[in-house]
Amino acid sequence: MRIGVVNNQTEQSLKLIPKLRMLCLENNLILDNKRPDVVVSIGGDGTLLSAFHRYAHMLESVRFVGIHTGHLGFYTDWREYNLEELVDSLVNDNGESISYPLLDVEVNYTDEKESLRYLALNESAIKRVDGTLVCDVYIRDEYFERFRGDGMCVSTPTGSTGYNKSLGGAVLHPRLEALQLTEIASLNNRIFRTLSSPLVIAPDEWIRLKPKETDSFIMSLDQLTSNEENVEDIRFRIAKERIHFARYKHTHFWNRVEDAFIGAKNKNED
Ligand code: NAP
């Protein structure tokens, strides 16, 4: 089995690299960042997002495993003290995996520029910081509303605990095939009106955002950002591709949510 490694630069993560190398060597696991079968991400959920973007062109053949060197994360099942156990699981791997939906983002331009297509694991957002973003929202190409505000965010079920949650979006179980649209500071008064609540679309639906032609804005894909102008529209749908995680260990989703956002200290003891 070929193992790829993606890590962040914290002291804790850097300490793990030689240990992991040694354990791989002892167990005949080949370290290969070019054509890995399993990518081990060492750091946090942000590191796993980087690993995903690095290997987004080979999602069919790659499975991911996350070691969290901080607290337990949403994409990370292992902690640094589980390293030996993880290597054992890699050695005894039976190919089992669990997969989650991804966001397909297609950007179409008003000028000659060719349309671009991206994948996101958590979400994609469009934002303006130097004025109001005005864009028309379509669901399945049916006009829904004209949005005015700071921006809009479309998230996957696994991304629902990220930026989406901070925007007041619901936490979705990752087994759901759905996308969620949340507003970022919408303008609502007697003249301008938006839904003003997050909405969740079905697997066969898509969201189309058509910004006012003159607007330039920032588009994010997980932790990546680009400046966009001359955009005709952006289409968001559930991607044909999925992300696969090697299933050696499984933490129940709602336990993760409780652990990340509530914590044992706040549990009602009655
Ligand atoms: P970052 O700004 O360095 O960290 C953002 C935080 O979000 C980190 O604590 C990260 O966890 C956590 N995170 C990432 N994905 C998550 C998920 N699916 N569920 C719950 N928490 C998650 O940026 P980054 O580490 O490169 O991650 C980019 C992501 O950060 C974006 O995709 C977006 O979801 C999130 N974000 C959130 C806000 C906000 O809530 N206001 C703003 C910008 C971005 P770790 O500490 O484990 O890495």
Side-chain angles (χ1 to χ4, degrees):
M1 179 187 274
R2 293 183 300 270
I3 309 294
V5 181
V6 175
N7 60 280
N8 65 10
Q9 295 301 312
T10 66
E11 202 182 320
Q12 257 176 312
S13 299
L14 293 172
K15 256 198 222 159
L16 279 196
I17 310 292
K19 282 191 199 162
L20 178 63
R21 278 214 185 105
M22 182 65 79
L23 286 168
C24 284
L25 213 72
E26 285 169 8
N27 288 280
N28 296 325
L29 296 168
I30 304 158
L31 289 166
D32 182 348
N33 273 346
K34 278 209 176 113
R35 288 188 309 124
D37 300 303
V38 173
V39 171
V40 179
S41 153
I42 305 177
D45 284 329
T47 319
L48 195 289
L49 290 172
S50 305
F52 162 74
H53 284 282
R54 189 177 305 177
Y55 292 99
H57 59 292
M58 48 196 294
L59 292 176
E60 266 315 298
S61 58
V62 163
R63 286 175 297 149
F64 294 84
V65 163
I67 303 178
H68 209 299
T69 48
H71 49 90
L72 188 71
F74 280 89
Y75 295 114
T76 50
D77 281 310
W78 301 81
R79 298 293 313 275
E80 62 268 37
Y81 47 76
N82 300 132
L83 198 58
E84 269 112 15
E85 199 191 327
L86 169 61
V87 171
D88 270 355
S89 303
L90 289 167
V91 171
N92 298 306
D93 176 66
N94 62 3
E96 213 185 319
S97 67
I98 182 156
S99 72
Y100 298 124
L102 296 169
L103 175 65
D104 182 305
V105 183
E106 180 191 309
V107 189
N108 299 303
Y109 295 91
T110 50
D111 54 16
E112 268 88 81
K113 198 167 162 193
E114 245 183 73
S115 300
L116 292 171
R117 196 184 154 245
Y118 307 95
L119 289 176
L121 177 53
N122 268 352
E123 79 285 293
S124 174
I126 64 171
K127 279 189 236 182
R128 267 195 82 183
V129 282
D130 56 348
T132 302
L133 176 87
V134 182
C135 80
D136 287 335
V137 179
Y138 295 78
I139 298 173
R140 291 184 67 115
D141 289 335
E142 293 274 338
Y143 177 75
F144 185 73
E145 66 179 10
R146 169 157 289 188
F147 172 88
R148 288 180 179 82
D150 284 1
M152 303 203 95
C153 170
V154 182
S155 69
T156 62
T158 52
S160 68
T161 46
Y163 192 22
N164 167 78
K165 187 172 179 300
S166 304
L167 297 172
V171 172
L172 296 193
H173 194 286
R175 269 206 312 273
L176 290 172
E177 296 275 329
L179 293 180
Q180 186 166 185
L181 176 69
T182 42
E183 301 179 346
I184 309 172
S186 60
L187 258 168
N188 269 287
N189 51 38
R190 282 157 61 111
I191 303 157
F192 305 133
R193 189 141 305 282
T194 64
L195 181 66
S196 303
S197 78
L199 65 83
V200 177
I201 61 160
D204 60 346
E205 296 186 320
W206 60 94
I207 293 164
R208 180 175 158 223
L209 300 182
K210 188 172 165 38
K212 223 175 93 192
E213 220 171 283
T214 47
D215 280 2
S216 59
F217 55 88
I218 295 165
M219 187 176 84
S220 72
L221 293 155
D222 302 329
Q223 74 276 52
L224 312 169
T225 54
S226 62
N227 286 309
E228 297 290 339
E229 51 187 14
N230 301 327
V231 170
E232 169 69 29
D233 62 14
I234 311 176
R235 286 159 196 258
F236 303 90
R237 63 181 84 222
I238 293 177
K240 289 193 271 319
E241 299 87 342
R242 293 173 71 87
I243 184 168
H244 302 274
F245 287 88
R247 196 175 192 176
Y248 303 137
K249 196 185 185 79
H250 183 64
T251 313
H252 194 282
F253 178 68
W254 296 115
N255 290 348
R256 261 184 229 269
V257 174
E258 186 277 330
D259 184 65
F261 297 114
I262 301 166
K265 269 191 272 173
N266 293 323
K267 265 192 190 148
N268 188 346
E269 300 297 333
D270 297 339

